[in-house]
């Protein structure tokens, strides 16, 4: 039972490069989320999705785009990476009913932009 | 927007000590959750609280949903080395932003040198 799987686990990008982070969940969850974690800042919501084909902005959406073409996958894209996007990115999912029973998190992607 | 104030920001523990941390808000929440994050991993749900005044245990961990619905507490009894990590509180207000969880900034538990 894999839960939430994030790929890749580590990545180094040059400023201006683009990349896509993939999140996959096998729990048939409706809701999926992308967070970034920076020292002293806790978890900040970037974008989220309440179902296949839907996306919405979170607290810090600028510089990121997302897509949810399939229920089990949620992609986070950086079109032109900036050093300020150096962070650890976490994907999470939850069943319908939103956050009532908490989120299941992936193990994170550590991204460094140089 | 809604914010959760989590304290302390960090603390050092010695094996066998009891640990307390809390989370407060100016807003009312209907659900409180406590997560633990081990180094290099994602947060894992420890305890969920759904009713004001509720007290719930998970092994050596006990959490309480404050009676005012604006705070929550987590206690760890007889701490052991594997308790180190970052503990996050999270709250849900059904009337809030699309029902998404609001996270505190975390309490980092380390071992006393």
């Amino acid at each position: 039972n894999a839960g939430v799987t994030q790929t890749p686990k580590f990545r180094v990008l040059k400023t201006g490069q683009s990349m896509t982070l993939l999140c996959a969940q096998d729990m048939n969850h409706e809701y999926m989320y992308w967070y970034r974690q920076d020292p002293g800042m806790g978890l900040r919501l970037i974008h989220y999705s309440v179902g296949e084909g839907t996306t919405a902005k979170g607290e810090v959406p600028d510089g990121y785009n997302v897509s949810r073409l399939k229920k089990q996958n949620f992609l986070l894209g950086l079109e032109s990476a900036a050093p300020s996007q150096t962070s650890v990115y976490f994907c999470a999912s939850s069943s319908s009913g939103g956050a009532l029973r908490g989120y299941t998190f992936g193990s994170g992607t550590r991204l460094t932009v140089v | 927007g809604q914010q959760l104030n989590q304290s302390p920001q960090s603390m050092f523990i010695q094996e066998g000590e009891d640990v307390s941390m809390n989370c407060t808000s100016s807003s009312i929440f209907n659900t409180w959750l406590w997560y633990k994050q081990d180094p290099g991993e994602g947060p894992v749900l420890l305890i969920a609280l759904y009713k004001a005044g509720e007290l719930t245990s998970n092994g050596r961990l006990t959490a309480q949903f404050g009676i005012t619905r604006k705070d929550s507490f987590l206690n760890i009894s007889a701490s052991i080395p594997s308790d180190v990590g970052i503990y996050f509180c999270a709250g849900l207000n059904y009337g809030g932003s699309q029902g998404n969880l609001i996270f505190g900034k975390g309490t980092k538990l380390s071992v006393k040198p």
Side-chain angles (χ1 to χ4, degrees):
Chain A
N1 191 3
V4 177
T5 302
Q6 291 183 235
T7 53
K9 291 192 183 302
F10 302 93
R11 185 74 185 267
V12 178
L13 282 181
K14 292 184 179 177
T15 297
Q17 284 185 319
S18 64
M19 79 162 293
T20 301
L21 281 68
L22 172 64
C23 177
Q25 53 95 3
D26 62 1
M27 297 171 286
N28 202 33
H29 282 171
E30 289 291 332
Y31 295 64
M32 297 186 75
Y33 313 83
W34 276 107
Y35 285 87
R36 61 178 289 173
Q37 184 178 27
D38 303 292
M41 302 295 289
L43 292 161
R44 293 185 292 170
L45 182 64
I46 305 171
H47 285 281
Y48 64 99
S49 167
V50 300
E52 182 179 318
T54 74
T55 63
K57 293 180 180 180
E59 180 186 355
V60 289
D62 294 341
Y64 305 95
N65 56 75
V66 287
S67 64
R68 183 105 181 262
L69 298 179
K70 293 183 179 180
K71 185 178 183 179
Q72 63 268 33
N73 295 336
F74 195 28
L75 278 62
L76 177 70
L78 285 73
E79 290 182 345
S80 179
S84 61
Q85 294 178 304
T86 293
S87 188
V88 181
Y89 291 86
F90 287 99
C91 176
S93 70
S94 66
S95 59
S96 57
L100 194 58
R101 304 238 170 245
Y103 299 170
T104 300
F105 283 86
S107 57
T109 295
R110 185 173 293 275
L111 176 66
T112 303
V113 183
V114 297
Chain B
Q2 294 174 318
Q3 286 188 331
L4 294 183
N5 300 308
Q6 195 171 344
S7 66
Q9 288 186 341
S10 63
M11 58 193 310
F12 289 90
I13 59 172
Q14 202 151 43
E15 188 169 353
E17 285 182 340
D18 294 344
V19 172
S20 292
M21 61 190 77
N22 68 78
C23 207
T24 61
S25 172
S26 58
S27 304
I28 288 174
F29 284 90
N30 298 301
T31 298
W32 285 95
L33 304 169
W34 285 92
Y35 284 84
K36 183 195 177 196
Q37 183 181 27
D38 289 322
E41 298 294 329
V44 173
L45 183 64
L46 297 172
I47 293 179
L49 301 158
Y50 300 107
K51 202 190 301 187
E54 182 180 353
L55 191 71
T56 297
S57 293
N58 178 3
R60 294 177 296 104
L61 277 62
T62 301
Q64 184 163 24
F65 193 139
I67 200 74
T68 65
R69 296 200 285 159
K70 292 183 178 181
D71 54 12
S72 181
F73 308 88
L74 177 69
N75 295 311
I76 305 172
S77 63
S79 58
I80 59 178
S82 61
D83 288 334
V84 301
I86 303 176
Y87 291 79
F88 291 101
C89 63
L92 176 63
N93 179 344
Y94 302 140
S97 172
Q98 292 84 30
N100 293 329
L101 283 178
I102 309 296
F103 283 89
K105 293 185 178 180
T107 293
K108 185 176 182 179
L109 240 59
S110 305
V111 176
K112 271 183 188 172

